[in-house]
Amino acid sequence: PTGADSSVNDVVTPLHGLLPAGSAVALAWDDALLGSGCRTSPGSDVRLREVAQALLADDKAPTGLQQPLWERWTHAESGARIVVLADVVTAFSEVQRRAWLSTARALVAAVLVSKRQGRQIELLERSKRLQQALFAIADLAGSDLEMSEMLSHFHRILSTLMYAENCYIVECDETQSSLRFLYFYDTQDDFAPDPEQRMHFDDM
């Protein structure tokens, strides 16, 4: 995940709420499918994030915190490495520590499975769109459309795969240092190149 991720916050927020006021929580992860990242509870010191990320990289215990409450594990199904870390302002009993860490494991596992399933569905849908686009492009290549019309259709197909509202296609001749615009579409630029006219690089 990148950017604000409400599902990860849905783990950090309740875990933070189970701690005494003034405590802070960090959750760091490294997953082959979801990537790596770290979230902290609101108002947390940057040091907490740094420690949580460092714990992913080595087996050392956290230092520089008041009452560190933490656990590092590898998710059995996905192989994701996970660190949950809390800086608690007052000491927890062993029972409280076990209860909090068990809750953390359960919440993180549930979100991890959900996020991975969502990502897998997203990848399958993208693969399907790509396959459909390739079939459509193959049909275009075998059609008897004029070049301008064919490239216009190609532009629409491209738009199903990525942002391509503005698009141009050029034929480039490196030996003559020139190019010609086979297709040009821009929502604001009124440039209308002649597809038959070659333009030298210096003129561009």
Side-chain angles (χ1 to χ4, degrees), residues 25 33 38-39 43 47 58-59 81 92 114 118 126 156:
V25 175
L33 183 62
C38 184
R39 295 289 182 277
R47 169 67 179 159
D58 57 50
D59 295 327
R81 292 184 299 122
F92 258 28
S114 175
R126 183 175 182 182
R156 284 196 289 272

Side-chain angles (χ1 to χ4, degrees), residues 84-110:
V84 62
L85 170 67
D87 191 13
V88 188
V89 294
T90 58
F92 258 28
S93 68
E94 188 58 30
V95 172
Q96 290 174 312
R97 291 174 64 88
R98 287 199 303 267
W100 191 86
L101 291 172
S102 295
T103 302
R105 270 183 171 268
L107 285 173
V108 170

Side-chain angles (χ1 to χ4, degrees), residues 63-128:
T63 58
L65 303 178
Q66 301 175 75
Q67 298 283 341
L69 173 58
W70 69 286
E71 190 166 4
R72 175 181 47 232
W73 73 94
T74 300
H75 189 254
E77 296 177 15
S78 65
R81 292 184 299 122
I82 303 162
V83 168
V84 62
L85 170 67
D87 191 13
V88 188
V89 294
T90 58
F92 258 28
S93 68
E94 188 58 30
V95 172
Q96 290 174 312
R97 291 174 64 88
R98 287 199 303 267
W100 191 86
L101 291 172
S102 295
T103 302
R105 270 183 171 268
L107 285 173
V108 170
V111 167
L112 183 63
V113 169
S114 175
K115 290 295 293 180
R116 286 181 65 85
Q117 289 175 342
R119 180 60 176 153
Q120 288 167 342
I121 291 171
E122 179 184 322
L123 291 174
L124 287 172
E125 290 176 344
R126 183 175 182 182
S127 177
K128 180 181 177 181

